Amino acid sequence: MPQKIILITRPEAAFEIPSSEGYQLYSAILGVMREADETVSKHTHNSPISSIALSPLSGKFRRCERPKHKAVDPLEKYELKIGITDPKEVEIFRSIIQPLILRERNLHLEKGELRVEEASSSTASFEDLVRSAGDLKEPCVDFEFKSATCIQYRNSKVFEMFPHREAVFHSLLSKWNAVCPEGLKMGIERDEMARYLVERPLAYETYSVVVSTVFDKVKGHPRPIMRQGFVGHCQYSFTRDAPAGVRNGIVALARFAEYSGVGSAVARGCGAVKVTVGEVER
């Protein structure tokens, strides 16, 4: 079942990290997992599905003179959320928690380390997510896109630069159907998402972020792999004629989003969201 780990960390000393720090956090988490269970670490890294989703670090940062960088402060605490949706969630959870908590292992980033001071976790079964979706008569879903959300249009090289209802929820539907029990797979069509959902962007910006680096043999040095996306705040509501099955399915997907992330490169810090589900105010 989907799980969420919340880590409260503190740096050993001040050090610089990239503005889009997700790929360094991902490498640090994989290093922790490798120490506990190399097989699970390889499964997570090589899996065709997005096994984990990382949030960016949340906290107060120092200013940094280096472009596109920020500095962590040893006097501050930083929150990191890890969503796990892979069917091997128990093994993945254990391989993260055991080294960090039982062995007091630090997260090693490129320029410094983060010490885990607190850890908590929560779970929600797919059945719970579906069941709770039926509790609302006129649901309204509020998405706060906390990190660059990079949704690739089908098999193209084009990325969505706007929180379009069809793009956001088709991404979540694909993630849900890849990991949920067979009997809970959803068949919501893209046309139904476009026809029965209404998006209301309240604020958003577009970004280009680093999700990885590769060694360029031609130029002889590492180069970044970039993805394009958006951050911001958007509300989604339903048309009056939206079928109950579509409404309930969309609400379940929205709640799932906090575990799975939205779009691509979620393991590297992209697509982290905070979701609030409520009733439409009349």
Side-chain angles (χ1 to χ4, degrees), residues 13-15 60-64 69-75 78:
F15 63 90
K60 294 181 180 180
F61 297 89
R62 293 182 181 180
R63 287 191 174 185
C64 183
H69 281 70
K70 54 192 176 185
V72 292
D73 186 337
L75 300 179
Y78 298 91

Side-chain angles (χ1 to χ4, degrees), residues 239-256:
T239 61
R240 290 185 179 274
D241 61 340
V246 172
R247 286 201 312 270
N248 293 345
I250 292 295
V251 171
L253 292 176
R255 288 184 164 137
F256 177 67

Side-chain angles (χ1 to χ4, degrees), residues 92-246:
I92 293 174
F93 177 87
R94 187 185 301 119
S95 70
I96 295 172
I97 290 296
Q98 283 184 345
L100 291 177
I101 304 305
L102 300 183
R103 302 174 193 167
E104 299 183 343
R105 166 83 146 75
N106 289 350
L107 289 172
H108 295 273
L109 278 66
E110 185 176 319
K111 300 290 186 179
E113 299 182 6
L114 296 173
R115 181 179 68 254
V116 177
E117 295 193 341
E118 302 173 42
S120 60
S121 65
S122 60
T123 62
S125 70
F126 289 96
E127 291 83 0
D128 288 340
L129 294 173
V130 171
R131 192 179 305 113
S132 65
D135 295 339
L136 301 172
K137 293 182 179 180
E138 293 186 76
C140 178
V141 181
D142 188 291
F143 271 66
E144 186 178 350
F145 297 94
K146 307 288 284 185
S147 62
T149 302
C150 310
I151 305 175
Q152 194 169 358
Y153 182 74
R154 298 188 178 178
N155 294 321
S156 75
K157 295 183 179 180
V158 177
F159 286 83
E160 302 285 351
M161 302 303 284
F162 178 84
H164 191 278
R165 57 198 183 279
E166 184 180 345
V168 169
F169 286 98
H170 187 266
S171 169
L172 290 170
L173 177 67
S174 299
K175 292 177 185 295
W176 174 285
N177 283 342
V179 296
C180 75
E182 189 65 31
L184 292 177
K185 290 185 183 295
M186 297 188 197
I188 304 174
E189 299 292 336
R190 295 183 75 119
D191 181 68
E192 292 178 305
M193 297 174 184
R195 184 182 301 274
Y196 297 122
L197 270 171
V198 179
E199 73 265 280
R200 183 187 174 209
L202 302 177
Y204 79 98
E205 297 180 70
T206 59
Y207 282 88
S208 184
V209 297
V210 178
V211 297
S212 185
T213 57
V214 295
F215 188 80
D216 191 321
K217 294 181 179 179
V218 175
K219 296 183 178 180
H221 60 74
R223 64 176 176 84
I225 301 296
M226 309 295 293
R227 292 289 182 269
Q228 290 70 47
F230 57 86
V231 299
H233 187 187
C234 189
Q235 292 179 345
Y236 301 89
S237 57
F238 296 87
T239 61
R240 290 185 179 274
D241 61 340
V246 172

